Amino acid sequence: MEKVKAFTISPIQTHNRCRGWNNIPAAIHSYAAVSTNCRVKSLSRNTFIHQSAQSNHHSITLEEEAMESSTSKFVRFPLLMDDTDTTNYTACTIPWRFPSDDPTVPTPTEFSWINLLFSGIPSYKKRAESDTSVPDAANKAEIFAQRYAKILEDLKKDPASHGNPLDILLLCRLREQVLKELGFRDIFKKVKDEENAKAISLFENVVRLNDAIEDESKRLENLVRGIFAGNIFDLGSPQLAEAFSRDGMSFSVTCETLLPRPWIIDDLDTLKMRWSKKSWKKVIIFVDNSGADIILGILPFARELLRRGSQVVLAANDLPSINDVTYSELIEIISKLKDEEGHLLGVSTSNLLIANSGNDLPVIDLTRVSQEIASHAIDADLVILEGMGRGIETNLYAQFKCDSMKIAMVKHPEVAEFLGSRMYDCLIKYNEI
């Protein structure tokens, strides 16, 4: 856990359901302005997790070994509501199958999600090819694409071929497993560094614009819109990855072109009422992406909480996954934003903490978090899960012993279909205890 020493910086909306590409906010076409839950052992021993029934069995064994060996490092998030006969935590939000389904035949939902992960392979391959830290990256990138595609094809034939249950956690974990076996540790590092630098250059102006809003309710709404706008920097979405690679994205334009309220789940007015009454003592925020997401979305919001007297703990991934910000990267970002006195544009960061969540996937199972974040959560009175992976695809219905908020943009057609929402719709789910 890193406690940020004090620091400062100078102050400064279509309505077609799930229409896909045509609904991508205009901002994505111009980004000139702003531009692993389970630790997986290497699949060495000369085994390829896709090659045969024998290697499939071996890969499961390695995964089980990895999970078992790291059990002592992970604990249940203490603010989760205790499991009872009526309340039972399940990380994954969208049910892919039901007890009545044939266990040997993939369900239509499973097919849909397998195909979604399959459609992302070209983007991952392209990033891997350009990873200069890996010798013979181009050849290994091709091997990754073939191996992961074979795994997904196996799952279409037998949904239990690579472990149970088949869900988004498993599909993401298998992808990371293949990448790590081939030596790829952070294929999105270059784009993360570039987008962090762009966002840092815009941070002061974004914060000053927020500070200039005198009405507290309107300022809060602007901060929330900033989180949505930042959250579109998600290279785990094949459509967004393609759009970003071609045209980039603009934070300011995205803020102006968010889909109009009411959003698919819209508890903003309830949050405003609670915000006006009192401050929370301690806030845990599970953060999502690098770049505009963390720097122009979450950090201005966290700064406002600090200004109101809250202690804020930012929980970031232990290891890289897609373009999610990691614990070590977040420490570096904060150090670049703080001034010599340890302030964020006039707001002390003595109550800002950076914690390692223990996670290494773009989704999260809250029964497996680091002891570090668990210890800091014991006396928290607000938990925020930000981003589609942590706040919608997993944990949308998670119940907590304290106030909670899930906030994200809908960026997968499969998620939009489940929610009955528009693509690029916004979601803010606030529950008060």
Side-chain angles (χ1 to χ4, degrees):
M1 150 67 75
E2 178 81 3
K3 184 163 183 177
V4 179
K5 297 181 180 178
F7 73 77
T8 324
I9 301 182
S10 16
I12 89 160
Q13 311 172 331
T14 2
H15 193 129
N16 293 329
R17 176 185 170 190
C18 193
R19 294 284 184 177
W21 178 256
N22 291 333
N23 275 353
I24 294 181
I28 295 190
H29 303 293
S30 62
Y31 197 12
V34 165
S35 246
T36 165
N37 356 3
C38 296
R39 297 172 182 272
V40 180
K41 285 187 176 180
S42 171
L43 299 178
S44 50
R45 311 185 193 178
N46 296 319
T47 59
F48 295 153
I49 59 181
H50 73 293
Q51 288 184 326
S52 65
Q54 180 180 1
S55 61
N56 287 343
H57 172 74
H58 188 50
S59 68
I60 295 170
T61 301
L62 286 175
E63 183 175 318
E64 289 170 348
E65 287 178 358
M67 293 177 69
E68 182 178 352
S69 67
S70 61
T71 298
S72 62
K73 300 178 182 178
F74 297 103
V75 297
R76 181 185 176 95
F77 189 62
L79 292 177
L80 273 178
M81 197 73 77
D82 295 332
D83 286 345
T84 66
D85 291 340
T86 57
T87 302
N88 186 34
Y89 172 75
T90 300
C92 296
T93 299
I94 304 173
W96 288 13
R97 65 169 46 243
F98 296 95
S100 59
D101 291 321
D102 185 340
T104 66
V105 179
T107 67
T109 303
E110 288 172 337
F111 261 114
S112 179
W113 282 87
I114 291 170
N115 286 333
L116 174 67
L117 274 288
F118 193 92
S119 69
I121 291 177
S123 174
Y124 278 76
K125 178 185 174 184
K126 182 178 179 181
R127 296 290 176 188
E129 287 172 341
S130 61
D131 188 343
T132 58
S133 70
V134 177
D136 197 18
N139 182 52
K140 291 179 179 178
E142 176 61 31
I143 295 173
F144 156 75
Q146 294 177 5
R147 289 189 187 178
Y148 191 51
K150 180 62 167 62
I151 288 173
L152 297 179
E153 291 298 336
D154 288 346
L155 290 168
K156 288 182 179 181
K157 299 172 185 175
D158 178 3
S161 61
H162 289 275
N164 273 311
L166 175 56
D167 55 25
I168 191 62
L169 288 161
L170 180 62
L171 292 186
C172 290
R173 186 177 300 125
L174 289 169
R175 182 178 60 200
E176 295 300 323
Q177 198 170 348
V178 178
L179 285 168
K180 288 180 173 62
E181 159 64 14
L182 292 164
F184 294 108
R185 293 295 179 265
D186 191 1
I187 62 175
F188 291 87
K189 179 174 174 50
K190 183 175 183 291
V191 69
K192 287 192 296 183
D193 289 346
E194 292 170 351
E195 296 311 310
N196 285 339
K198 293 175 184 177
I200 286 173
S201 71
L202 295 168
F203 178 78
E204 179 177 342
N205 185 58
V206 169
V207 171
R208 287 189 180 278
L209 290 172
N210 282 316
D211 286 355
I213 302 174
E214 296 183 2
D215 183 273
E216 189 177 65
S217 177
K218 292 180 179 179
R219 186 165 64 250
L220 172 61
E221 179 166 348
N222 197 61
L223 288 163
V224 166
R225 288 179 175 275
I227 293 176
F228 289 135
N231 193 234
I232 205 169
F233 178 50
D234 184 351
L235 301 186
S237 163
Q239 288 181 330
L240 288 176
E242 178 186 348
F244 178 85
S245 177
R246 185 179 63 248
D247 305 312
M249 292 177 256
S250 167
F251 178 80
S252 59
V253 175
T254 304
C255 283
E256 297 168 359
T257 58
L258 292 176
L259 293 182
R261 298 181 65 192
W263 299 313
I264 185 58
I265 298 180
D266 192 339
D267 292 336
L268 178 56
D269 292 339
T270 304
L271 177 65
K272 287 180 178 180
M273 291 180 61
R274 174 63 174 80
W275 188 273
S276 66
K277 293 177 182 178
K278 61 179 181 180
S279 298
W280 292 274
K281 177 179 64 176
K282 188 175 186 179
V283 182
I284 306 288
I285 306 178
F286 287 89
V287 300
D288 192 10
N289 304 308
S290 299
D293 194 346
I294 182 67
I295 297 167
L296 305 181
I298 288 297
L299 286 181
F301 182 80
R303 175 182 174 273
E304 188 71 11
L305 287 168
L306 292 169
R307 187 158 69 168
R308 290 164 53 84
S310 299
Q311 184 178 43
V312 178
V313 181
L314 301 178
N317 269 16
D318 178 25
L319 299 175
S321 183
I322 317 182
N323 61 312
D324 290 10
V325 68
T326 65
Y327 165 74
S328 59
E329 290 167 345
L330 186 50
I331 292 173
E332 182 179 354
I333 288 169
I334 298 293
S335 69
K336 291 179 178 179
L337 291 175
K338 67 181 181 181
D339 67 6
E340 294 179 354
E341 298 178 355
H343 290 75
L344 276 176
L345 295 173
V347 176
S348 172
T349 59
S350 59
N351 281 326
L352 176 62
L353 305 174
I354 312 300
N356 187 329
S357 70
N359 195 38
D360 60 356
L361 296 180
V363 287
I364 189 168
D365 180 349
L366 291 176
T367 64
R368 294 177 57 79
V369 301
S370 70
Q371 296 179 10
E372 176 185 344
I373 191 60
S375 66
H376 286 286
I378 292 174
D379 58 342
D381 47 2
L382 174 62
V383 174
I384 299 175
L385 290 147
E386 186 248 345
M388 185 174 65
R390 292 165 186 78
I392 302 182
E393 292 176 348
T394 56
N395 301 300
L396 179 60
Y397 302 129
Q399 299 182 48
F400 296 88
K401 300 174 183 177
C402 64
D403 292 359
S404 63
M405 185 169 79
K406 292 86 179 222
I407 181 167
M409 180 180 282
V410 177
K411 294 162 288 189
H412 284 162
E414 292 75 11
V415 175
E417 180 179 4
F418 173 76
L419 295 173
S421 76
R422 303 160 288 180
M423 276 290 284
Y424 309 104
D425 208 338
C426 300
L427 180 152
I428 178 168
K429 188 176 189 292
Y430 173 70
N431 292 101
E432 183 174 4
I433 299 299

